[in-house]
């Protein structure tokens, strides 16, 4: 079992390498959550996530015999970069196995930190299997992403920092994938202040820890699909499951839509780039999924977002905020009809994002055209004014998004 002293030792060992990340207060999110919110910004950590803490602690504790072997990990993102950075920093070579779907930005970042990257299979399980085969044939040292005492002790340094930065903290929300981060934080913070509530947050489609807790034993999900790929884990570790059962007060879930909206708000209102898994704890706070205390810290666990996914998050966030809308109109297929519709949007200073014409579907009367107009609005109330003006022109319009 990991002890508080192990986490203190980990903090001492990484003092000159790993950042102490900020704890940021926020009026916007405090208002949404109905309490004082202070965000622990691990998205600003070296390599862009908390994972480097555990990886560095683990690799720095390898024996001389283990250091003489290749260092190997399987990961599609943050753990890969943490291992690559830490191995290079400590003078070791690393090989990272990634599934072929891994975004190029993450693979390139891992290479930039000094690792050799090998793509294997179409899923994390395929990459993991390939890494295990490589370990056997090359007598390599495997670095597990969460189910390892030294990994957990390294992640626990986040808890030490939170308490040092805000001794009044009474609730900490932590995203859960395999459970390494919340295990280390819970051990550290319960030692310093037993009254602190530690709440784990999972994506609702990948809640393997919650399912295991409810069953009373570790179970494996049939699938784990979520935009929060950093916490999409089918099966918790036996070590982390045991720690969470002992130390964590509550497990809750958030939907992908709630996670995406939190990530959007972080970018738009907080001016911070956060990956979906990093936004999960904040999503739980601002949607008030559970009873919160007076001083609440959501751990923002990482910022290594897939750029194509980021565009979707921004688009969806603008729709939810009423700053973007798509309107459908059906007009006679004659010259000048479309210009009349466009004139309405120009009148209200709405910026046209996209226009689509459709004549061939059966729901469009012969001699007419359906037009889908996507516009960016300056404020939400513009939408009703635009609809009213279009309908005054004898055209029926419908907001479809």
């Amino acid at each position: 079992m990991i002890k508080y002293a192990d986490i203190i030792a980990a903090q001492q060992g990484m003092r000159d390498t790993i950042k102490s990340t900020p704890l940021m207060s926020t009026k916007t999110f405090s208002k949404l959550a109905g309490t004082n919110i202070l965000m622990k910004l691990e998205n600003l950590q070296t390599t862009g996530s908390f994972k480097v803490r555990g990886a560095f602690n683990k690799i720095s504790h390898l024996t001389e015999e283990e250091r003489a072997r290749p260092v190997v990990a399987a990961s599609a993102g943050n753990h890969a970069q943490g291992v690559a950075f830490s191995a290079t920093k400590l003078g070791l070579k690393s090989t990272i196995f990634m599934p072929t779907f891994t975004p190029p930005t993450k693979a390139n970042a891992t290479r930039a930190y000094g690792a050799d990257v090998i793509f294997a299979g179409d899923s994390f399980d395929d990459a993991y299997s390939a890494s295990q085969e490589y370990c056997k044939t090359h007598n390599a040292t495997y670095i597990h992403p969460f189910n390892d005492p030294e990994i957990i002790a390294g992640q626990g340094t986040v808890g030490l920092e939170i308490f040092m930065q805000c001794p009044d903290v009474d609730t900490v929300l932590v995203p859960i994938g395999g459970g390494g981060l919340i295990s280390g934080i819970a051990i550290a913070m319960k030692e310093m202040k037993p009254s602190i509530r530690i709440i784990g947050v999972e994506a609702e489609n990948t809640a393997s820890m919650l399912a295991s807790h409810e069953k009373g034993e570790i179970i494996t999900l049939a699938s784990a699909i979520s935009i929060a790929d950093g916490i999409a884990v089918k099966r918790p570790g036996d070590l982390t499951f045991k720690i969470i059962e002992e130390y964590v007060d509550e497990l809750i879930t958030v939907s992908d839509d709630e996670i995406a909206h939190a990530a959007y708000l972080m970018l738009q209102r907080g001016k911070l780039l956060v990956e979906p898994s990093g936004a999960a704890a904040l999503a739980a706070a601002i949607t008030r999924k559970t009873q919160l205390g007076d001083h609440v810290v959501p751990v923002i666990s990482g910022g290594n977002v897939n750029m194509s996914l980021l565009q979707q998050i921004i688009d969806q966030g603008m729709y939810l905020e009423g700053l973007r809308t798509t309107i459908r109109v059906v007009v006679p297929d004659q010259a000048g009809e479309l210009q009349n519709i466009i004139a309405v949007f120009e009148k209200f200073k709405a910026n046209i994002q996209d226009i689509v014409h459709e004549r061939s579907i059966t729901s469009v009367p012969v001699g007419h055209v359906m037009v889908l107009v996507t516009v960016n609005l300056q404020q939400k109330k513009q939408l009703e004014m635009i609809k009213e003006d279009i309908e005054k022109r004898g055209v029926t319009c419908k907001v479809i998004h």
Side-chain angles (χ1 to χ4, degrees), residues 1-14 18 50-64 66-67 71 79 82-83 86 90 92 141-158 160 179-185 187 238-240 243:
M1 182 61 69
I2 300 92
K3 298 177 182 178
Y4 176 70
D6 299 322
I7 300 171
I8 293 293
Q11 186 181 54
Q12 293 295 324
M14 63 178 71
I18 305 303
F50 74 94
K51 286 285 190 177
V52 70
R53 295 175 182 262
F56 187 85
N57 191 53
K58 173 64 179 178
I59 295 172
S60 66
H61 280 83
L62 295 179
T63 64
E64 288 301 319
E66 289 170 329
R67 285 170 175 256
V71 173
H79 181 59
V83 170
S86 301
L90 293 166
L92 306 178
T141 300
Y142 182 70
I143 309 298
H144 198 281
F146 52 84
N147 202 47
D148 180 283
E150 281 149 353
I151 291 285
I152 293 169
Q155 318 304 27
T157 59
V158 176
L160 298 180
L181 177 61
I182 194 170
S183 293
I185 287 175
I187 291 170
D238 55 351
L239 180 55
T240 55
I243 294 169

Side-chain angles (χ1 to χ4, degrees), residues 349-366:
K349 309 299 183 186
N351 184 30
I352 295 176
Q353 179 83 7
D354 190 31
I355 299 177
V356 177
H357 300 72
E358 182 58 73
R359 296 176 176 85
S360 59
I361 60 175
T362 57
S363 61
V364 177
V366 175

Side-chain angles (χ1 to χ4, degrees), residues 300-318:
I300 311 302
S301 58
N304 295 316
V305 64
N306 180 344
M307 290 295 109
S308 61
L309 183 61
L310 177 62
Q311 185 60 58
Q312 289 182 283
I313 289 171
I314 292 171
D315 289 343
Q316 179 174 306
M318 290 186 70

Side-chain angles (χ1 to χ4, degrees), residues 209-219 241:
M209 191 66 75
L210 177 60
S212 298
H213 169 72
E214 291 174 345
K215 188 75 172 179
E217 61 184 21
I218 296 175
I219 67 167
F241 176 71

Side-chain angles (χ1 to χ4, degrees), residues 78-300:
N78 292 337
H79 181 59
Q81 294 175 58
V83 170
F85 170 87
S86 301
T88 300
K89 185 75 174 177
L90 293 166
L92 306 178
K93 291 292 294 179
S94 59
T95 299
I96 310 296
F97 285 80
M98 292 182 155
T100 54
F101 67 76
T102 303
T105 52
K106 294 187 177 183
N108 292 338
T110 302
R111 291 191 188 97
Y113 287 124
D116 294 326
V117 173
I118 298 175
F119 293 103
D122 296 325
S123 68
F124 171 78
D125 291 338
D126 293 336
Y128 174 76
S129 297
S131 73
Q132 296 306 292
E133 188 62 33
Y134 184 92
C135 285
K136 290 177 183 177
T137 57
H138 292 77
N139 192 29
T141 300
Y142 182 70
I143 309 298
H144 198 281
F146 52 84
N147 202 47
D148 180 283
E150 281 149 353
I151 291 285
I152 293 169
Q155 318 304 27
T157 59
V158 176
L160 298 180
E161 289 177 16
I162 291 171
F163 187 77
M164 291 172 63
Q165 292 163 326
C166 180
D168 292 333
V169 59
D170 51 39
T171 310
V172 181
L173 296 161
V174 188
I176 295 182
L181 177 61
I182 194 170
S183 293
I185 287 175
I187 291 170
M189 300 200 78
K190 290 288 188 178
E191 175 71 23
M192 293 183 289
K193 190 175 180 180
S195 63
I196 289 176
R197 291 186 71 230
I198 307 294
I199 300 171
V201 183
E202 293 182 281
E204 64 181 21
N205 294 333
T206 64
S208 58
M209 191 66 75
L210 177 60
S212 298
H213 169 72
E214 291 174 345
K215 188 75 172 179
E217 61 184 21
I218 296 175
I219 67 167
T220 303
L221 301 180
S223 65
I225 300 173
S226 170
I227 64 166
D229 57 347
I231 55 173
V233 175
K234 290 183 181 180
R235 181 182 176 85
D238 55 351
L239 180 55
T240 55
F241 176 71
K242 181 179 179 181
I243 294 169
I244 288 169
E245 287 291 278
E246 181 175 351
Y247 288 96
V248 173
D249 297 284
E250 187 179 1
L251 300 174
I252 57 179
T253 65
V254 287
S255 70
D256 275 10
D257 285 346
E258 290 165 336
I259 291 171
H261 192 220
Y264 168 79
L265 291 174
M266 285 284 285
L267 186 62
Q268 195 228 24
R269 303 298 298 276
K271 317 307 177 190
L272 293 164
L273 182 63
V274 176
E275 63 190 272
S277 56
L282 180 65
I286 64 178
T287 55
R288 308 191 189 191
K289 291 285 182 173
T290 186
Q291 184 69 36
L292 300 174
D294 296 324
H295 303 285
V296 179
V297 176
V299 177
I300 311 302

Side-chain angles (χ1 to χ4, degrees), residues 304-379:
N304 295 316
V305 64
N306 180 344
M307 290 295 109
S308 61
L309 183 61
L310 177 62
Q311 185 60 58
Q312 289 182 283
I313 289 171
I314 292 171
D315 289 343
Q316 179 174 306
M318 290 186 70
Y319 278 115
L320 287 173
E321 295 286 295
L323 300 177
R324 179 175 293 170
T325 189
T326 298
I327 295 176
R328 180 176 65 196
V329 298
V330 177
V331 297
D333 194 4
Q334 298 174 0
E337 292 292 338
L338 178 58
Q339 183 56 47
N340 288 334
I341 300 301
I342 291 175
V344 176
F345 296 109
E346 291 178 344
K347 174 182 177 181
F348 290 99
K349 309 299 183 186
N351 184 30
I352 295 176
Q353 179 83 7
D354 190 31
I355 299 177
V356 177
H357 300 72
E358 182 58 73
R359 296 176 176 85
S360 59
I361 60 175
T362 57
S363 61
V364 177
V366 175
H368 289 70
V369 59
M370 182 180 74
V371 184
L372 299 177
V373 186
T374 299
V375 295
N376 293 334
L377 305 173
Q378 294 175 326
Q379 49 188 320

